[in-house]
């Protein structure tokens, strides 16, 4: 498996993308990146850059560890159980345009 932090590189580095597609065991990944992606590549780059800027918080090492590291926490099960889940983000990780009290 790949790491979440490699996502930006998947869309920006053609050689890396070819390697990932070659290693993938999912036919839809190959179909998308070999046939659909080349037609959309310029638009994808513009949208990906914009989206990655918004998702920058997810690439913080602390958040990334939570999202991609080993875990015993099962979010789907917690949701099925009706659990309340609270997150405490350090102020340095909260974008300035988000109001914080």
């Amino acid at each position: 498996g790949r790491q979440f932090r490699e996502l930006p590189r998947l869309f920006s580095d053609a050689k890396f993308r070819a390697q990932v597609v070659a290693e993938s065991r999912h036919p839809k990944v190959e179909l998308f990146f070999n046939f659909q992606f080349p037609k959309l590549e310029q638009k994808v780059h513009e949208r990906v850059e914009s989206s990655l800027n918004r998702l920058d918080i997810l690439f913080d090492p602390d958040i990334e560890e939570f999202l991609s590291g080993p875990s015993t926490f099962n979010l789907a099960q917690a949701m099925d159980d009706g659990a309340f889940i609270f997150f405490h983000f350090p102020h340095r990780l909260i974008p300035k345009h988000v109001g914080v009290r």
Side-chain angles (χ1 to χ4, degrees):
R2 294 289 180 167
Q3 296 293 318
F4 181 75
R5 71 175 147 281
E6 295 175 306
L7 185 62
R9 190 172 171 206
L10 180 65
F11 291 102
S12 63
D13 182 336
K15 190 174 180 179
F16 176 73
R17 184 171 46 251
Q19 178 185 354
V20 170
V21 170
E23 293 171 1
S24 175
R25 293 175 284 164
H26 301 282
K28 288 183 179 182
V29 170
E30 184 177 357
L31 286 172
F32 175 77
F33 282 106
N34 287 336
F35 298 102
Q36 290 179 303
F37 185 81
K39 296 176 197 170
L40 306 169
E41 194 164 4
Q42 184 57 41
K43 288 182 182 179
V44 167
H45 281 296
E46 292 168 9
R47 290 184 179 162
V48 165
E49 186 174 337
S50 173
S51 297
L52 289 176
N53 287 338
R54 290 186 188 114
L55 297 174
D56 195 43
I57 187 175
L58 299 178
F59 296 99
D60 178 274
D62 295 328
I63 302 299
E64 181 186 354
E65 178 73 24
F66 174 77
L67 293 174
S68 63
S71 174
T72 57
F73 178 71
N74 184 329
L75 180 60
Q77 185 64 49
M79 291 172 63
D80 289 345
D81 293 344
F84 288 95
I85 302 167
F86 296 93
F87 294 93
H88 178 264
F89 291 102
H91 286 285
R92 69 181 171 79
L93 297 180
I94 300 173
K96 295 191 185 326
H97 68 276
V98 175
V100 178
R101 295 180 187 204

